[in-house]
PDB file of all heavy atoms in Angstrom:
ATOM      1  N   ALA A 742    -174.318-146.906  47.695  1.00 72.00           N
ATOM      2  CA  ALA A 742    -175.393-145.960  47.417  1.00 72.00           C
ATOM      3  C   ALA A 742    -176.406-145.950  48.551  1.00 72.00           C
ATOM      4  O   ALA A 742    -176.879-144.892  48.987  1.00 72.00           O
ATOM      5  CB  ALA A 742    -176.066-146.313  46.104  1.00 72.00           C
ATOM      6  N   GLU A 743    -176.738-147.144  49.055  1.00 71.00           N
ATOM      7  CA  GLU A 743    -177.706-147.209  50.168  1.00 71.00           C
ATOM      8  C   GLU A 743    -177.127-146.597  51.437  1.00 71.00           C
ATOM      9  O   GLU A 743    -177.816-145.884  52.164  1.00 71.00           O
ATOM     10  CB  GLU A 743    -178.100-148.665  50.398  1.00 71.00           C
ATOM     11  CG  GLU A 743    -178.901-149.272  49.249  1.00 71.00           C
ATOM     12  CD  GLU A 743    -179.195-150.741  49.458  1.00 71.00           C
ATOM     13  OE1 GLU A 743    -178.641-151.311  50.436  1.00 71.00           O
ATOM     14  OE2 GLU A 743    -179.952-151.319  48.649  1.00 71.00           O
ATOM     15  N   LEU A 744    -175.830-146.889  51.714  1.00 70.00           N
ATOM     16  CA  LEU A 744    -175.195-146.332  52.912  1.00 70.00           C
ATOM     17  C   LEU A 744    -175.084-144.815  52.817  1.00 70.00           C
ATOM     18  O   LEU A 744    -175.340-144.094  53.784  1.00 70.00           O
ATOM     19  CB  LEU A 744    -173.800-146.954  53.074  1.00 70.00           C
ATOM     20  CG  LEU A 744    -172.998-146.456  54.279  1.00 70.00           C
ATOM     21  CD1 LEU A 744    -173.732-146.772  55.577  1.00 70.00           C
ATOM     22  CD2 LEU A 744    -171.607-147.105  54.285  1.00 70.00           C
ATOM     23  N   GLY A 745    -174.734-144.335  51.672  1.00 65.00           N
ATOM     24  CA  GLY A 745    -174.627-142.886  51.495  1.00 65.00           C
ATOM     25  C   GLY A 745    -175.955-142.202  51.721  1.00 65.00           C
ATOM     26  O   GLY A 745    -176.021-141.113  52.288  1.00 65.00           O
ATOM     27  N   LYS A 746    -177.015-142.874  51.244  1.00 66.00           N
ATOM     28  CA  LYS A 746    -178.338-142.284  51.410  1.00 66.00           C
ATOM     29  C   LYS A 746    -178.716-142.193  52.883  1.00 66.00           C
ATOM     30  O   LYS A 746    -179.289-141.200  53.344  1.00 66.00           O
ATOM     31  CB  LYS A 746    -179.358-143.118  50.636  1.00 66.00           C
ATOM     32  CG  LYS A 746    -180.767-142.560  50.689  1.00 66.00           C
ATOM     33  CD  LYS A 746    -181.715-143.407  49.848  1.00 66.00           C
ATOM     34  CE  LYS A 746    -183.123-142.852  49.924  1.00 66.00           C
ATOM     35  NZ  LYS A 746    -184.065-143.688  49.119  1.00 66.00           N
ATOM     36  N   SER A 747    -178.384-143.240  53.656  1.00 63.00           N
ATOM     37  CA  SER A 747    -178.752-143.228  55.089  1.00 63.00           C
ATOM     38  C   SER A 747    -177.919-142.217  55.880  1.00 63.00           C
ATOM     39  O   SER A 747    -178.378-141.611  56.834  1.00 63.00           O
ATOM     40  CB  SER A 747    -178.578-144.632  55.673  1.00 63.00           C
ATOM     41  OG  SER A 747    -177.221-145.020  55.614  1.00 63.00           O
ATOM     42  N   LEU A 748    -176.664-142.059  55.439  1.00 60.00           N
ATOM     43  CA  LEU A 748    -175.802-141.119  56.162  1.00 60.00           C
ATOM     44  C   LEU A 748    -176.053-139.679  55.782  1.00 60.00           C
ATOM     45  O   LEU A 748    -175.583-138.762  56.460  1.00 60.00           O
ATOM     46  CB  LEU A 748    -174.329-141.465  55.904  1.00 60.00           C
ATOM     47  CG  LEU A 748    -173.833-142.759  56.548  1.00 60.00           C
ATOM     48  CD1 LEU A 748    -172.405-143.038  56.155  1.00 60.00           C
ATOM     49  CD2 LEU A 748    -173.960-142.681  58.064  1.00 60.00           C
ATOM     50  N   GLU A 749    -176.752-139.486  54.679  1.00 57.00           N
ATOM     51  CA  GLU A 749    -177.058-138.118  54.289  1.00 57.00           C
ATOM     52  C   GLU A 749    -178.037-137.473  55.268  1.00 57.00           C
ATOM     53  O   GLU A 749    -178.160-136.254  55.341  1.00 57.00           O
ATOM     54  CB  GLU A 749    -177.617-138.099  52.866  1.00 57.00           C
ATOM     55  CG  GLU A 749    -176.558-138.303  51.803  1.00 57.00           C
ATOM     56  CD  GLU A 749    -177.136-138.377  50.412  1.00 57.00           C
ATOM     57  OE1 GLU A 749    -178.385-138.303  50.297  1.00 57.00           O
ATOM     58  OE2 GLU A 749    -176.353-138.513  49.437  1.00 57.00           O
ATOM     59  N   GLU A 750    -178.799-138.315  55.946  1.00 53.00           N
ATOM     60  CA  GLU A 750    -179.703-137.792  56.983  1.00 53.00           C
ATOM     61  C   GLU A 750    -178.863-137.515  58.247  1.00 53.00           C
ATOM     62  O   GLU A 750    -178.261-138.440  58.805  1.00 53.00           O
ATOM     63  CB  GLU A 750    -180.805-138.803  57.272  1.00 53.00           C
ATOM     64  CG  GLU A 750    -181.677-139.096  56.054  1.00 53.00           C
ATOM     65  CD  GLU A 750    -182.705-140.181  56.345  1.00 53.00           C
ATOM     66  OE1 GLU A 750    -182.704-140.692  57.486  1.00 53.00           O
ATOM     67  OE2 GLU A 750    -183.491-140.501  55.437  1.00 53.00           O
ATOM     68  N   SER A 751    -178.762-136.325  58.627  1.00 47.00           N
ATOM     69  CA  SER A 751    -177.892-135.928  59.763  1.00 47.00           C
ATOM     70  C   SER A 751    -178.338-136.596  61.061  1.00 47.00           C
ATOM     71  O   SER A 751    -179.544-136.677  61.373  1.00 47.00           O
ATOM     72  CB  SER A 751    -177.914-134.409  59.960  1.00 47.00           C
ATOM     73  OG  SER A 751    -177.428-133.773  58.810  1.00 47.00           O
ATOM     74  N   LEU A 752    -177.346-137.075  61.762  1.00 48.00           N
ATOM     75  CA  LEU A 752    -177.606-137.619  63.090  1.00 48.00           C
ATOM     76  C   LEU A 752    -177.543-136.457  64.094  1.00 48.00           C
ATOM     77  O   LEU A 752    -176.507-135.815  64.242  1.00 48.00           O
ATOM     78  CB  LEU A 752    -176.544-138.673  63.423  1.00 48.00           C
ATOM     79  CG  LEU A 752    -176.644-139.301  64.796  1.00 48.00           C
ATOM     80  CD1 LEU A 752    -177.972-140.050  64.936  1.00 48.00           C
ATOM     81  CD2 LEU A 752    -175.481-140.267  65.019  1.00 48.00           C
ATOM     82  N   THR A 753    -178.675-136.136  64.734  1.00 47.00           N
ATOM     83  CA  THR A 753    -178.759-134.922  65.556  1.00 47.00           C
ATOM     84  C   THR A 753    -179.179-135.270  67.004  1.00 47.00           C
ATOM     85  O   THR A 753    -180.114-136.037  67.204  1.00 47.00           O
ATOM     86  CB  THR A 753    -179.784-133.944  64.977  1.00 47.00           C
ATOM     87  OG1 THR A 753    -179.413-133.648  63.632  1.00 47.00           O
ATOM     88  CG2 THR A 753    -179.841-132.668  65.807  1.00 47.00           C
ATOM     89  N   LEU A 754    -178.455-134.706  68.017  1.00 46.00           N
ATOM     90  CA  LEU A 754    -178.840-134.788  69.437  1.00 46.00           C
ATOM     91  C   LEU A 754    -179.058-133.356  69.926  1.00 46.00           C
ATOM     92  O   LEU A 754    -178.210-132.484  69.728  1.00 46.00           O
ATOM     93  CB  LEU A 754    -177.737-135.436  70.270  1.00 46.00           C
ATOM     94  CG  LEU A 754    -177.422-136.897  69.919  1.00 46.00           C
ATOM     95  CD1 LEU A 754    -176.251-137.380  70.778  1.00 46.00           C
ATOM     96  CD2 LEU A 754    -178.639-137.762  70.155  1.00 46.00           C
ATOM     97  N   GLU A 755    -180.181-133.084  70.532  1.00 49.00           N
ATOM     98  CA  GLU A 755    -180.495-131.725  70.965  1.00 49.00           C
ATOM     99  C   GLU A 755    -180.507-131.651  72.505  1.00 49.00           C
ATOM    100  O   GLU A 755    -181.079-132.510  73.172  1.00 49.00           O
ATOM    101  CB  GLU A 755    -181.861-131.281  70.435  1.00 49.00           C
ATOM    102  CG  GLU A 755    -181.867-131.119  68.937  1.00 49.00           C
ATOM    103  CD  GLU A 755    -183.198-130.546  68.459  1.00 49.00           C
ATOM    104  OE1 GLU A 755    -184.097-130.373  69.313  1.00 49.00           O
ATOM    105  OE2 GLU A 755    -183.307-130.284  67.248  1.00 49.00           O
TER     106      GLU A 755
END
Side-chain angles (χ1 to χ4, degrees):
E743 293 176 352
L744 179 61
K746 183 178 179 181
S747 63
L748 290 176
E749 285 176 358
E750 298 176 359
S751 299
L752 178 62
T753 303
L754 296 177
E755 292 186 356

